[in-house]
Amino acid sequence: NNYGILATGVDAIRFTFPVQQFSGVGYKELDVFGYATAQASDYAQWAASFLPAEIGSETNDYDNDSRNNFYEYAFNGNPTNPLVTEATPMFRHTGEQLLLIYAQRADTTNLVYNLEARTNLMAGDWTNVVYGVQDTNTPGTAFKSVTNSIPSSDHQLFIRINAMQSY
């Protein structure tokens, strides 16, 4: 049959449905016009803030600094300037603790940050780990500073921060 829904654009939908006519079945069409309010993704809004530069998708590395655009988005980088290094997490040793300090987006709920660790850099699975966390958020800013306290009693430990988009 020829009835169903045909999307003719983001602001119009055409419904086609059967109607009974004297000499058989005919079809009527009803056009509904309105506006779709699809919100641009948080990443797309961020990427647009660098116009006129077209930085591209999350996997692009527009400024060739070996950090893809998603890394720059998640950790407060600047995808148009390879000299901006604020996005680099830092380690600091203090007493019995190793502090891991990094920027985390505070203006979205669509990012999930996990710490992962393993004892051998070349082999083994990365596993989620939880260490003491201090959030320092400056109201009105897009980022907060996150500090994780890692016991320095671990003689060999490799740690990475995994930022993932959640929908």
Side-chain angles (χ1 to χ4, degrees), residues 114-118 126-129 158-162 164:
N114 292 315
L115 289 182
E116 298 175 336
R118 65 184 185 191
W126 290 95
T127 57
N128 285 337
V129 292
F158 299 93
I159 299 171
R160 71 180 183 187
I161 306 164
N162 189 5
M164 298 175 290

PDB file of all heavy atoms in Angstrom, residues 114-118 126-129 158-162 164:
ATOM      1  N   ASN A 114      35.893   8.714  33.236  1.00  0.00           N
ATOM      2  CA  ASN A 114      36.298   7.582  34.067  1.00  0.00           C
ATOM      3  C   ASN A 114      37.809   7.535  34.151  1.00  0.00           C
ATOM      4  O   ASN A 114      38.497   7.789  33.164  1.00  0.00           O
ATOM      5  CB  ASN A 114      35.828   6.247  33.462  1.00  0.00           C
ATOM      6  CG  ASN A 114      34.335   6.100  33.495  1.00  0.00           C
ATOM      7  OD1 ASN A 114      33.692   6.387  34.487  1.00  0.00           O
ATOM      8  ND2 ASN A 114      33.775   5.649  32.388  1.00  0.00           N
ATOM      9  N   LEU A 115      38.307   7.185  35.334  1.00  0.00           N
ATOM     10  CA  LEU A 115      39.721   6.886  35.468  1.00  0.00           C
ATOM     11  C   LEU A 115      39.890   5.387  35.263  1.00  0.00           C
ATOM     12  O   LEU A 115      39.105   4.595  35.788  1.00  0.00           O
ATOM     13  CB  LEU A 115      40.245   7.265  36.852  1.00  0.00           C
ATOM     14  CG  LEU A 115      40.376   8.744  37.153  1.00  0.00           C
ATOM     15  CD1 LEU A 115      40.951   8.942  38.550  1.00  0.00           C
ATOM     16  CD2 LEU A 115      41.225   9.447  36.126  1.00  0.00           C
ATOM     17  N   GLU A 116      40.899   5.026  34.500  1.00  0.00           N
ATOM     18  CA  GLU A 116      41.185   3.626  34.248  1.00  0.00           C
ATOM     19  C   GLU A 116      42.656   3.378  34.561  1.00  0.00           C
ATOM     20  O   GLU A 116      43.493   4.261  34.368  1.00  0.00           O
ATOM     21  CB  GLU A 116      40.893   3.272  32.788  1.00  0.00           C
ATOM     22  CG  GLU A 116      39.447   3.467  32.407  1.00  0.00           C
ATOM     23  CD  GLU A 116      39.158   3.235  30.944  1.00  0.00           C
ATOM     24  OE1 GLU A 116      40.075   3.355  30.114  1.00  0.00           O
ATOM     25  OE2 GLU A 116      37.999   2.938  30.635  1.00  0.00           O
ATOM     26  N   ALA A 117      42.956   2.175  35.043  1.00  0.00           N
ATOM     27  CA  ALA A 117      44.330   1.870  35.429  1.00  0.00           C
ATOM     28  C   ALA A 117      44.678   0.435  35.087  1.00  0.00           C
ATOM     29  O   ALA A 117      43.801  -0.417  34.914  1.00  0.00           O
ATOM     30  CB  ALA A 117      44.514   2.107  36.931  1.00  0.00           C
ATOM     31  N   ARG A 118      45.972   0.196  34.988  1.00  0.00           N
ATOM     32  CA  ARG A 118      46.528  -1.150  34.896  1.00  0.00           C
ATOM     33  C   ARG A 118      47.989  -1.080  35.332  1.00  0.00           C
ATOM     34  O   ARG A 118      48.594  -0.005  35.347  1.00  0.00           O
ATOM     35  CB  ARG A 118      46.346  -1.766  33.525  1.00  0.00           C
ATOM     36  CG  ARG A 118      47.080  -1.106  32.384  1.00  0.00           C
ATOM     37  CD  ARG A 118      46.718  -1.790  31.084  1.00  0.00           C
ATOM     38  NE  ARG A 118      47.501  -1.259  29.984  1.00  0.00           N
ATOM     39  CZ  ARG A 118      47.240  -1.522  28.720  1.00  0.00           C
ATOM     40  NH1 ARG A 118      46.233  -2.304  28.405  1.00  0.00           N
ATOM     41  NH2 ARG A 118      47.976  -1.019  27.759  1.00  0.00           N
ATOM     42  N   TRP A 126      42.441  -2.436  30.807  1.00  0.00           N
ATOM     43  CA  TRP A 126      42.231  -1.232  31.595  1.00  0.00           C
ATOM     44  C   TRP A 126      40.968  -1.457  32.428  1.00  0.00           C
ATOM     45  O   TRP A 126      39.962  -1.929  31.913  1.00  0.00           O
ATOM     46  CB  TRP A 126      42.041  -0.007  30.696  1.00  0.00           C
ATOM     47  CG  TRP A 126      43.289   0.414  29.982  1.00  0.00           C
ATOM     48  CD1 TRP A 126      43.663   0.067  28.721  1.00  0.00           C
ATOM     49  CD2 TRP A 126      44.314   1.255  30.490  1.00  0.00           C
ATOM     50  NE1 TRP A 126      44.867   0.651  28.410  1.00  0.00           N
ATOM     51  CE2 TRP A 126      45.292   1.382  29.482  1.00  0.00           C
ATOM     52  CE3 TRP A 126      44.509   1.907  31.702  1.00  0.00           C
ATOM     53  CZ2 TRP A 126      46.444   2.145  29.649  1.00  0.00           C
ATOM     54  CZ3 TRP A 126      45.661   2.670  31.861  1.00  0.00           C
ATOM     55  CH2 TRP A 126      46.613   2.790  30.853  1.00  0.00           C
ATOM     56  N   THR A 127      41.024  -1.134  33.710  1.00  0.00           N
ATOM     57  CA  THR A 127      39.855  -1.289  34.572  1.00  0.00           C
ATOM     58  C   THR A 127      39.508   0.058  35.190  1.00  0.00           C
ATOM     59  O   THR A 127      40.393   0.883  35.463  1.00  0.00           O
ATOM     60  CB  THR A 127      40.108  -2.316  35.700  1.00  0.00           C
ATOM     61  OG1 THR A 127      41.257  -1.904  36.458  1.00  0.00           O
ATOM     62  CG2 THR A 127      40.345  -3.702  35.140  1.00  0.00           C
ATOM     63  N   ASN A 128      38.210   0.285  35.402  1.00  0.00           N
ATOM     64  CA  ASN A 128      37.771   1.514  36.051  1.00  0.00           C
ATOM     65  C   ASN A 128      38.258   1.507  37.491  1.00  0.00           C
ATOM     66  O   ASN A 128      38.185   0.482  38.174  1.00  0.00           O
ATOM     67  CB  ASN A 128      36.250   1.624  36.037  1.00  0.00           C
ATOM     68  CG  ASN A 128      35.715   1.982  34.674  1.00  0.00           C
ATOM     69  OD1 ASN A 128      36.415   2.545  33.842  1.00  0.00           O
ATOM     70  ND2 ASN A 128      34.464   1.650  34.427  1.00  0.00           N
ATOM     71  N   VAL A 129      38.762   2.636  37.930  1.00  0.00           N
ATOM     72  CA  VAL A 129      39.224   2.792  39.306  1.00  0.00           C
ATOM     73  C   VAL A 129      38.589   4.047  39.890  1.00  0.00           C
ATOM     74  O   VAL A 129      38.240   4.976  39.159  1.00  0.00           O
ATOM     75  CB  VAL A 129      40.768   2.876  39.395  1.00  0.00           C
ATOM     76  CG1 VAL A 129      41.401   1.551  39.037  1.00  0.00           C
ATOM     77  CG2 VAL A 129      41.317   3.981  38.528  1.00  0.00           C
ATOM     78  N   PHE A 158      49.699   2.569  35.818  1.00  0.00           N
ATOM     79  CA  PHE A 158      49.466   3.427  34.665  1.00  0.00           C
ATOM     80  C   PHE A 158      48.007   3.846  34.709  1.00  0.00           C
ATOM     81  O   PHE A 158      47.116   3.022  34.873  1.00  0.00           O
ATOM     82  CB  PHE A 158      49.795   2.684  33.365  1.00  0.00           C
ATOM     83  CG  PHE A 158      51.231   2.272  33.307  1.00  0.00           C
ATOM     84  CD1 PHE A 158      51.618   1.014  33.744  1.00  0.00           C
ATOM     85  CD2 PHE A 158      52.196   3.153  32.850  1.00  0.00           C
ATOM     86  CE1 PHE A 158      52.949   0.635  33.714  1.00  0.00           C
ATOM     87  CE2 PHE A 158      53.522   2.783  32.813  1.00  0.00           C
ATOM     88  CZ  PHE A 158      53.904   1.522  33.241  1.00  0.00           C
ATOM     89  N   ILE A 159      47.760   5.137  34.573  1.00  0.00           N
ATOM     90  CA  ILE A 159      46.416   5.701  34.715  1.00  0.00           C
ATOM     91  C   ILE A 159      46.085   6.493  33.468  1.00  0.00           C
ATOM     92  O   ILE A 159      46.937   7.210  32.926  1.00  0.00           O
ATOM     93  CB  ILE A 159      46.333   6.614  35.959  1.00  0.00           C
ATOM     94  CG1 ILE A 159      46.644   5.814  37.208  1.00  0.00           C
ATOM     95  CG2 ILE A 159      44.959   7.273  36.057  1.00  0.00           C
ATOM     96  CD1 ILE A 159      46.799   6.665  38.440  1.00  0.00           C
ATOM     97  N   ARG A 160      44.844   6.379  33.025  1.00  0.00           N
ATOM     98  CA  ARG A 160      44.367   7.223  31.931  1.00  0.00           C
ATOM     99  C   ARG A 160      42.979   7.721  32.284  1.00  0.00           C
ATOM    100  O   ARG A 160      42.248   7.115  33.056  1.00  0.00           O
ATOM    101  CB  ARG A 160      44.376   6.482  30.602  1.00  0.00           C
ATOM    102  CG  ARG A 160      43.324   5.402  30.470  1.00  0.00           C
ATOM    103  CD  ARG A 160      43.404   4.720  29.115  1.00  0.00           C
ATOM    104  NE  ARG A 160      42.359   3.730  28.957  1.00  0.00           N
ATOM    105  CZ  ARG A 160      42.271   2.905  27.931  1.00  0.00           C
ATOM    106  NH1 ARG A 160      43.174   2.974  26.961  1.00  0.00           N
ATOM    107  NH2 ARG A 160      41.302   2.042  27.852  1.00  0.00           N
ATOM    108  N   ILE A 161      42.632   8.860  31.698  1.00  0.00           N
ATOM    109  CA  ILE A 161      41.299   9.432  31.852  1.00  0.00           C
ATOM    110  C   ILE A 161      40.544   9.136  30.563  1.00  0.00           C
ATOM    111  O   ILE A 161      41.016   9.456  29.473  1.00  0.00           O
ATOM    112  CB  ILE A 161      41.351  10.950  32.077  1.00  0.00           C
ATOM    113  CG1 ILE A 161      42.270  11.288  33.249  1.00  0.00           C
ATOM    114  CG2 ILE A 161      39.948  11.512  32.308  1.00  0.00           C
ATOM    115  CD1 ILE A 161      42.682  12.740  33.293  1.00  0.00           C
ATOM    116  N   ASN A 162      39.394   8.544  30.688  1.00  0.00           N
ATOM    117  CA  ASN A 162      38.577   8.206  29.531  1.00  0.00           C
ATOM    118  C   ASN A 162      37.335   9.087  29.559  1.00  0.00           C
ATOM    119  O   ASN A 162      36.525   8.975  30.476  1.00  0.00           O
ATOM    120  CB  ASN A 162      38.216   6.721  29.559  1.00  0.00           C
ATOM    121  CG  ASN A 162      37.551   6.259  28.295  1.00  0.00           C
ATOM    122  OD1 ASN A 162      37.434   7.011  27.334  1.00  0.00           O
ATOM    123  ND2 ASN A 162      37.122   5.021  28.289  1.00  0.00           N
ATOM    124  N   MET A 164      33.887  10.024  27.603  1.00  0.00           N
ATOM    125  CA  MET A 164      32.990   9.440  26.600  1.00  0.00           C
ATOM    126  C   MET A 164      31.728  10.268  26.496  1.00  0.00           C
ATOM    127  O   MET A 164      31.237  10.802  27.484  1.00  0.00           O
ATOM    128  CB  MET A 164      32.609   8.006  27.005  1.00  0.00           C
ATOM    129  CG  MET A 164      33.756   7.051  27.085  1.00  0.00           C
ATOM    130  SD  MET A 164      33.238   5.450  27.699  1.00  0.00           S
ATOM    131  CE  MET A 164      32.868   5.834  29.399  1.00  0.00           C
TER     132      MET A 164
END
